[in-house]
Amino acid sequence: MRTTPYAFDETRTPSAAGEPGAVEDGGRKGGLRTALGGLTTRGRSFLAAGLAAAVCAYVLGQGDLLRVGLLLAVLPLVCVTVLYRTRYRVTGTRRLSPSRVPAGAEARVHLRMENVSRLPTGLLMLQDRVPYVLGPRPRFVLDRVESGGRREVSYRVRSDLRGRYPLGPLQLRLSDPFGMCELTRSFSAYDTLVVIPRTVPLPALRLAGEASGYGDGRQRSLALAGEDDIIPRGYRHGDDLRRVHWRSTARHGELMVRREEQPQRARCTVLLDTRQIGYQGAGPDSAFEWAVSGAASALVHMLERGFAVRLLTDDGNAVPGEGTDGYAGSTQESADSAGLMLDTLAVVGHSDGGGLSRAHDVLRGGNEGLLIAFFGDLDEEQTAVAARMRQRAGAGVAFVLDSAAWADEESAAGAADDRLRRLRESGWTAVPVEPGDELPELWQLAGGMRTDTPSAPSGGPNGFPGGWS
């Protein structure tokens, strides 16, 4: 939920809310000519009828008709002058609930207007600017708002396309009671709605050759290398007396205890191939969008399992980036890291097609943990690079998309099978992704593609060799 206050002041004076928003076209910018340009069809008709009646009265010498014509012509001009000189001080608040939504989900935008001047307002039409992909532009008509009064309205937005979409600025259309003139004023403040990729829950699997994030089989980073290398600390209230290190206690003259063992989070890298040459087609149902959604689901799932996760693209960019070797930090930071990675995936696009070499250079040998990759079409060169990547991770699973099949085009099935075979020979658990496949089922399938014992046959379930190891 996000709240942004802003203010509109027809007199160009500071807002009572203390946070004035710049008015795009100003309270008096353009002068009276701008105000006259706000005449409605009714106002122009009255003005034209009055002028015509005045001319006819002059020609015919009819004094009564002249008075009627002057009344008709003066009425819209009086409305313009009154509306132009009216002192309005209006503040507004926009609240997004929530400010980050998955593609296809709805968010609600709440608008609250408050009249902070001493005079009541006239008829107001409230309009918020939204991109066309979020739906029609919302418009609301607000009746007379008394001094200190508030009006609250809301509308819904929805997008099937991920991205960052600006909401605003808000526009107010002021109108006189007779409907003769309308003036439009705009705030300068706006908010941003982030539409992240769809994520799906994945089954929890015990990955072969990989310890879980926390719990059984986790690695521990000890603060000691041996009995003589212990680095104790002073005793604190509540410490277990069984952890007292008596040799250090005798040396320092005070109670000293062994340092607690520090758990080291298992690592996972989610690699997303964004090469434009690797995908065909566009739109919410394209192969590239499936890969983006799959990467988002994988990183959220691994964070929930307690892994330290980072997002890596083929151009070598890693998220969250600096800190903790580029991985998501402590448990307290996991939510922020997940939000940062999902925000990155919300706007990720195709790369320049430079290949997977830059991502290969980012991976370091022997300390990468689990590597989960979402690949597009791979030629022989990129298949070789992907095979070398597997040697730099403790375990690896690859979801390989044949974008030609997604685009309803004929694909070279033999070449695709050869690429999968080479990936499996290099140690990848390679899973082909066809149109209509769901990630949870493929995830379960990949978890079953493992050899639990050394005597297990080389071909796993469904004929796939190897496993997540």
Side-chain angles (χ1 to χ4, degrees):
M1 182 177 68
R2 181 179 178 184
T3 302
T4 300
Y6 41 88
F8 162 76
D9 194 340
E10 185 70 12
T11 64
R12 307 292 297 277
T13 58
S15 165
E19 296 188 41
V23 182
E24 291 182 357
D25 47 1
R28 298 187 180 278
K29 184 177 180 180
L32 191 59
R33 180 179 302 176
T34 302
L36 290 174
L39 283 171
T40 62
T41 301
R42 180 185 298 178
R44 296 177 187 274
S45 300
F46 267 68
L47 183 59
L51 293 178
V55 171
C56 293
Y58 176 77
V59 173
L60 300 176
Q62 298 292 327
D64 293 339
L65 182 60
L66 178 61
R67 287 190 289 270
V68 172
L70 291 178
L71 177 62
L72 294 176
V74 169
L75 181 59
L77 297 179
V78 171
C79 292
V80 168
T81 303
V82 172
L83 187 62
Y84 174 69
R85 297 182 62 86
T86 299
R87 294 172 174 264
Y88 286 139
R89 297 177 65 195
V90 181
T91 62
T93 300
R94 180 190 290 107
R95 178 168 57 88
L96 305 182
S97 178
S99 60
R100 181 190 291 121
V101 296
E106 289 185 347
R108 182 167 290 275
V109 183
H110 301 268
L111 302 175
R112 185 178 68 179
M113 306 301 300
E114 181 178 1
N115 181 16
V116 296
S117 65
R118 297 181 180 180
L119 298 176
T121 68
L123 188 67
L124 302 178
M125 190 181 81
L126 193 63
Q127 177 176 278
D128 208 6
R129 294 181 181 178
V130 299
Y132 72 94
V133 297
L134 297 182
R137 180 170 295 184
R139 294 182 175 90
F140 306 94
V141 177
L142 304 181
D143 293 332
R144 177 178 178 272
V145 182
E146 66 279 4
S147 176
R150 298 179 180 179
R151 299 291 186 272
E152 295 186 3
V153 294
S154 64
Y155 63 94
R156 293 177 297 179
V157 291
R158 178 181 180 275
S159 174
D160 292 327
L161 300 175
R162 56 186 176 81
R164 296 173 60 90
Y165 300 102
L167 299 179
L170 192 65
Q171 289 182 331
L172 279 179
R173 182 174 295 178
L174 314 176
S175 177
D176 67 281
F178 300 101
M180 298 289 182
C181 181
E182 291 181 349
L183 296 180
T184 301
R185 296 291 181 261
S186 297
F187 299 100
S188 60
Y190 67 93
D191 293 281
T192 301
L193 176 68
V194 181
V195 181
I196 61 177
R198 296 184 182 93
T199 58
V200 293
L202 301 177
L205 302 175
R206 177 68 175 181
L207 310 183
E210 180 67 25
S212 60
Y214 287 116
D216 296 338
R218 68 186 177 186
Q219 299 176 355
R220 294 180 179 271
S221 176
L222 304 182
L224 53 96
E227 185 67 18
D228 296 332
D229 299 323
I230 292 177
I231 306 177
R233 61 170 176 83
Y235 175 83
R236 298 173 185 172
H237 179 71
D239 283 340
D240 190 347
L241 292 178
R242 290 174 296 182
R243 291 174 43 224
V244 174
H245 190 252
W246 298 109
R247 182 180 300 177
S248 298
T249 298
R251 184 182 306 162
H252 292 85
E254 59 176 332
L255 281 178
M256 305 293 292
V257 297
R258 297 181 178 89
R259 289 191 177 185
E260 296 179 351
E261 296 176 341
Q262 302 296 327
Q264 180 181 356
R265 304 180 79 187
R267 292 179 171 182
C268 174
T269 298
V270 178
L271 172 63
L272 175 63
D273 179 11
T274 64
R275 296 172 300 118
Q276 187 171 10
I277 195 175
Y279 300 92
Q280 300 181 30
D285 298 327
S286 64
F288 180 65
E289 292 302 324
W290 193 99
V292 173
S293 177
S297 302
L299 67 88
V300 170
H301 175 74
M302 301 310 292
L303 279 173
E304 291 175 349
R305 290 195 58 194
F307 280 73
V309 181
R310 70 172 173 180
L311 173 66
L312 180 64
T313 58
D314 60 289
D315 56 7
N317 293 328
V319 182
E322 299 297 332
T324 321
D325 296 329
Y327 289 82
S330 63
T331 304
Q332 293 78 6
E333 298 173 352
S334 294
D336 295 337
S337 300
L340 178 60
M341 288 184 281
L342 290 176
D343 288 349
T344 301
L345 290 176
V347 296
V348 69
H350 290 294
S351 63
D352 56 5
L356 302 172
S357 299
R358 285 174 289 184
H360 173 267
D361 295 338
V362 174
L363 298 174
R364 298 174 303 172
N367 198 27
E368 292 300 327
L370 176 62
L371 177 59
I372 303 175
F374 293 84
F375 291 125
D377 293 332
L378 298 174
D379 55 21
E380 293 186 4
E381 179 182 357
Q382 301 308 317
T383 303
V385 177
R388 293 196 299 270
M389 284 183 179
R390 172 61 187 85
Q391 307 307 319
R392 297 195 171 188
V397 60
F399 298 93
V400 185
L401 292 85
D402 184 1
S403 62
W406 286 74
D408 294 330
E409 297 180 3
E410 184 178 355
S411 60
D417 293 341
D418 181 66
R419 304 291 186 267
L420 290 172
R421 179 184 57 80
R422 292 181 58 183
L423 291 177
R424 292 164 186 158
E425 289 177 351
S426 64
W428 283 98
T429 299
V431 182
V433 181
E434 301 293 338
D437 287 346
E438 298 293 337
L439 182 59
E441 286 73 15
L442 297 179
W443 191 269
Q444 187 75 39
L445 176 63
M449 294 160 52
R450 50 181 292 185
T451 56
D452 295 322
T453 62
S455 59
S458 59
N462 300 285
F464 296 117
W468 298 55
S469 58

